[in-house]
Structure formats: C-alpha cells, structure tokens
Amino acid sequence: MAFTLEIGHKAPYFRLPATDGHEYSLNDFDSHPWLVVFFTCNHCPYVLGSDEVTRETAEKYNSKGVQFVGINSNSENTYAEDGFDFMVKRMNEKNFPWMYLRDESQEVAKNYGALRTPHFFVFDQKRHLVYTGRGVDSPKDTGKMMENTLDLVLEALVSDKEPPVQMTNPIGCNVKWDGKDPHWMPADACDLV
C-alpha cells in the first residue's frame, strides 16, 4: 500500500484550529462540490514561490464550487516559524483565499500521506480523491512554469470531464516531522512510494 492517499479513497476526517480563531472539520465544507486540501507552511521556498499562483487558481475556481483548505503540519520544534502565531501573521499579511489550519499533532498529514509542501489533494462531492500531487511544475520559480497542473485538473472537473491526470509527484520540501532531520530533500527526490 502506498504511503500517500490513493485515488478513489475517502478524505480522512480532520478537525483543526484555523488562523481566523475558529475550528473547522472536513464536514464544514460539505456544501462545496469540490475540495482542495493542500499541505503547506510558512517558510518553504517552493510554497513561497508558488503561493500567488495558488491564490489565482483558488480565486478562479471559488465561484465554481471549489473550496481550498491549507494545512500546516510542519513541526515548530524543527522550524519555529511554522508555529501558529506565524501562521496568523502570514494570513493577516497575505489574505489568502483559503482556510489555513494547524495540524500540530501531525496526525492529519500522516492520514493523508502528505509528502511535501506544497502537496495537493483534490476531492469530489462524495470526498473521494480524484487528484493528488503538485500544483505547478516549477513551484520554486513560477517564472519557469510550463504547466499549472492543478488548474488543468480543476478546469476539467468543473466542466464535468475526467481530469487529464490523477497523480503527479509533489514538488517541494519534505514535511518537517517532529524529531526528524530538518534538512530538505532535493526536488527530484519526490517519488511516491
């Protein structure tokens, strides 16, 4: 069995605190036909490099029933700037169009099999996984981007078509597991196992 969530599997339940002071569970997004859960953080250069493209994609599909939910599961013991207070500060500064949730126990990341930041999981109305992987093909430097894979997938889905791809390798920094070596793995070491 793969470490990461497999296509067709149900979205694992979560209930987590958000930067807006409330808690949100998976069920709070039931009214949205499509749900994008992505694992992100405050410091990774692949996240910082692609956040504005992710913003554009989220804003483009918001009116088409797509809800974005960002989850930060990185250990603040490994990177202090991934702590909740820094998440609140970042959202206040950037005003991203998604919920930003804190997975301090890292259990949600483990349940989803999050491999990198960023790592995207797209679910249908019944919350079955229809796509997992990268957002774009050059997240660290979107000036070199040749493909916005997430946009292609969402465009197909909201048009009642099959997505052009179901799985890609997420490109980014490895999730910072508590007590593990904080050094980043190279972007080409992103094979799903």
Side-chain angles (χ1 to χ4, degrees):
M1 180 178 169
F3 170 73
T4 196
L5 198 66
E6 295 179 342
I7 297 299
H9 283 205
K10 292 276 284 186
Y13 182 80
F14 60 78
R15 184 174 184 84
L16 298 169
T19 54
D20 67 0
H22 300 285
E23 283 193 348
Y24 294 91
S25 76
L26 179 66
N27 300 340
D28 286 320
F29 308 107
D30 282 351
S31 63
H32 299 273
W34 307 100
L35 179 66
V36 178
V37 175
F38 66 107
F39 291 84
T40 184
C41 65
N42 295 331
H43 79 276
C44 169
Y46 295 87
V47 169
L48 300 181
S50 59
D51 262 344
E52 290 306 313
V53 172
T54 303
R55 179 201 298 274
E56 290 172 12
T57 303
E59 289 175 344
K60 177 179 178 180
Y61 292 101
N62 180 60
S63 63
K64 299 177 181 181
V66 182
Q67 172 71 48
F68 276 63
V69 177
I71 299 177
N72 178 8
S73 300
N74 276 0
S75 169
E76 64 183 297
N77 295 322
T78 304
Y79 273 89
E81 60 265 44
D82 276 330
F84 188 75
D85 289 345
F86 289 98
M87 291 172 58
V88 173
K89 180 182 178 185
R90 183 157 157 70
M91 281 297 279
N92 286 341
E93 290 173 353
K94 298 293 186 177
N95 195 29
F96 289 124
W98 52 74
M99 297 295 178
Y100 195 15
L101 311 183
R102 179 65 173 142
D103 173 28
E104 189 171 358
S105 73
Q106 303 189 310
E107 283 303 308
V108 177
K110 290 174 184 173
N111 290 339
Y112 278 74
L115 300 172
R116 301 281 180 267
T117 53
H119 188 171
F120 294 84
F121 296 81
V122 181
F123 298 93
D124 63 15
Q125 177 77 70
K126 295 182 179 178
R127 298 305 178 242
H128 292 118
L129 185 67
V130 294
Y131 171 76
T132 180
R134 71 190 186 200
V136 301
D137 61 356
S138 181
K140 194 173 182 181
D141 182 2
T142 53
K144 298 177 180 177
M145 181 177 71
M146 300 294 289
E147 179 181 284
N148 185 334
T149 313
L150 183 62
D151 184 272
L152 293 174
V153 166
L154 293 175
E155 183 60 41
L157 293 173
V158 301
S159 303
D160 293 322
K161 298 177 182 176
E162 289 295 315
V165 63
Q166 292 182 315
M167 181 180 291
T168 58
N169 288 338
I171 303 170
C173 303
N174 59 317
V175 173
K176 302 301 181 282
W177 302 107
D178 196 32
K180 302 291 184 183
D181 186 345
H183 292 98
W184 297 331
M185 295 177 70
D188 58 0
C190 294
D191 290 334
L192 297 172
V193 294

